[in-house]
Amino acid sequence: MADELDVLESAALAELRELQTLSQLEAWRVRYLGKKSTLTSALRALSALPPEQRRTAGAHSNAVKASLQSEYEARKQELSLSTIGESIGGACLDVTLPGRALPIGRLHPITQVIQEICSVFARMGFQVIDGPEVEWDYYNFEALNIPQDHPARDMFATLWLDSSEDRNARLLRTHTSPMQIRIMEEHRPPLRFVVPGRTYRYEATDATHDWMFHQVEGLAVDSDITLRDLKETLFEFCRSIFGRDTGVRFRCDYFPFVEPGGEIAIECFQCRGGGCRLCGSTGWLEILGTGMVHPDVLARCGIDPSVYSGFAFGMGVERITILRYGVDDIRHFYSGDFRFLRQF
Ligand code: DAH
């Protein structure tokens, strides 16, 4: 019995030294130290021995078990370390190596300009909200005094989601102006809101046109708003964005949902009025459309036009960004080209 245990011990230890993996080690443990191992059965058989023999055999078996157990633990430690070493690619790890810098992202130029525009208006007391890009005909056209067959629909090449003949047709909003209606339906004056967001047009793309672009809409309604408030607010806006000494001009223009309607332009900062390619030799750069909210539009939203008046405006964010930074092609913005985007 004693001899058998010694043979077993030396065989087990010899095998143990040859093991290369943790799974081989586990198989070894089951074989030599597990419940069904020779050693465990030997220990179990001790009770059948006469007391004298039991003591010596017991001590011996326990010594063998303890020796296998401690060699097992030591080998396990060794194999675990070398497994970690392999998984990190070699035995040596240079802890002094500097970490790799994570690339830091930035806001898209259009997002930056939207934030800047909104913060100028926020300083003047306007709230910023957004609205749906999929709109009903009613909000995009009808409620803005552009009923079906109105020639002004030609101003907006529309991406329809349903048949355009259908009065309840859905479309991708062609401007942010539908939010004027949603705001006036939900809130009572005094109102001051700006609405940034995506807009869509069914249009062939070129250097100055894209089928998706951003606008910022604005609306102010109160009991005593006049054209003077419109001009003060929007001139101040233009000077905040383009510089204090920028010349600003208001001229009449037509939009069905405002009366009078107008357009605001800034003096061309490239030629200072002398005439160049940027301003098409006019000396002026159009920045936004605007006007006093049409009484019919107010009334349609349940706001009494004999008590209240308001002004509205809408501007193209890509256009403003292009003018400001001298971008030569609107398609750069959504090309995903880092060489372009990193400049902002
Ligand atoms: N929605 C117009 C467009 O996309 C721009 C515009 C003009 C907005 C006059 C307004 C406005 O709020 O009063 O061309």
Side-chain angles (χ1 to χ4, degrees):
M1 174 78 190
D3 287 350
E4 270 174 45
L5 281 178
D6 288 337
V7 171
L8 178 84
E9 182 182 10
S10 53
L13 292 180
E15 246 181 73
L16 185 64
R17 279 187 285 276
E18 300 298 315
L19 300 182
Q20 295 306 327
T21 66
L22 286 168
S23 62
Q24 290 171 346
L25 180 69
E26 176 58 12
W28 182 94
R29 188 195 62 77
V30 171
R31 184 145 23 102
Y32 291 106
L33 293 167
K35 282 200 196 101
K36 294 186 182 148
S37 66
T38 316
L39 189 60
T40 308
S41 348
L43 281 165
R44 225 177 268 133
L46 286 174
S47 57
L49 294 175
E52 214 26 54
Q53 282 177 31
R54 196 189 302 164
R55 199 168 307 125
T56 42
H60 190 202
S61 309
N62 278 326
V64 171
K65 184 173 180 183
S67 132
L68 293 187
Q69 191 75 45
S70 79
E71 291 297 317
Y72 163 79
E73 296 296 344
R75 189 74 185 130
K76 185 172 176 184
Q77 186 81 15
E78 260 171 42
L79 287 178
S80 311
L81 281 178
S82 71
T83 312
I84 294 172
E86 273 159 29
S87 72
I88 59 177
C92 90
L93 167 66
D94 181 358
V95 294
T96 66
L97 202 64
R100 271 186 214 127
L102 287 175
I104 297 175
R106 64 189 72 208
L107 295 176
H108 191 278
I110 295 301
T111 308
Q112 292 183 34
V113 172
I114 287 176
Q115 290 186 349
E116 201 181 327
I117 292 170
C118 290
S119 74
V120 171
F121 285 109
R123 282 204 295 276
M124 297 194 266
F126 285 72
Q127 292 178 60
V128 182
I129 54 163
D130 58 17
E133 290 170 30
V134 172
E135 262 301 2
W136 303 105
D137 182 310
Y138 179 76
Y139 289 100
N140 198 85
F141 292 127
E142 190 93 24
L144 291 166
N145 286 346
I146 317 172
Q148 218 143 23
D149 301 324
H150 191 289
R153 288 208 176 195
D154 294 348
M155 293 163 74
F156 305 99
T158 307
L159 283 157
W160 293 95
L161 300 179
D162 301 311
S163 160
S164 61
E165 311 286 306
D166 184 348
R167 281 176 66 90
N168 294 318
R170 289 165 309 166
L171 46 78
L172 294 181
R173 67 178 175 191
T174 59
H175 49 176
T176 40
S177 303
M179 277 305 288
Q180 292 184 30
I181 307 300
R182 289 184 178 275
I183 289 167
M184 289 190 282
E185 279 181 352
E186 281 215 1
H187 303 268
R188 296 293 96 188
L191 300 173
R192 280 197 211 96
F193 282 95
V194 279
V195 188
R198 290 196 170 94
T199 54
Y200 302 84
R201 302 263 171 104
Y202 182 50
E203 208 144 27
T205 59
D206 63 25
T208 52
H209 296 86
D210 211 341
W211 60 273
M212 187 283 291
F213 55 97
H214 294 74
Q215 288 188 342
V216 175
E217 191 77 15
L219 177 70
V221 180
D222 205 346
S223 48
D224 50 7
I225 289 197
T226 66
L227 189 63
R228 180 186 163 166
D229 298 303
L230 178 159
K231 288 177 72 178
E232 276 294 315
T233 308
L234 298 177
F235 282 24
E236 169 57 25
F237 163 73
C238 288
R239 294 189 181 120
S240 298
I241 294 287
F242 293 101
R244 285 286 134 204
D245 53 355
T246 307
V248 189
R249 173 185 86 177
F250 174 94
R251 286 213 301 198
C252 285
D253 196 355
Y254 171 72
F255 297 97
F257 37 93
V258 279
E259 181 55 38
E263 155 231 292
I264 285 182
I266 58 168
E267 204 180 4
C268 179
F269 39 73
Q270 192 158 296
C271 62
R272 289 270 159 208
C276 68
R277 256 182 57 143
L278 185 66
C279 58
S281 302
T282 61
W284 294 92
L285 300 165
E286 251 177 62
I287 296 299
L288 51 84
T290 181
M292 301 302 291
V293 181
H294 197 290
D296 291 352
V297 174
L298 290 173
R300 200 171 287 119
C301 300
I303 294 177
D304 184 349
S306 67
V307 179
Y308 294 105
S309 56
F311 66 85
F313 53 91
M315 65 190 86
V317 181
E318 279 77 0
R319 182 175 160 78
I320 289 176
T321 312
I322 283 171
L323 292 174
R324 193 150 164 219
Y325 296 110
V327 175
D328 62 2
D329 195 317
I330 192 173
R331 291 167 294 193
H332 287 315
F333 288 119
Y334 307 109
S335 65
D337 188 335
F338 280 127
R339 291 169 306 175
F340 172 74
L341 295 172
R342 272 203 201 98
Q343 302 177 92
F344 296 91

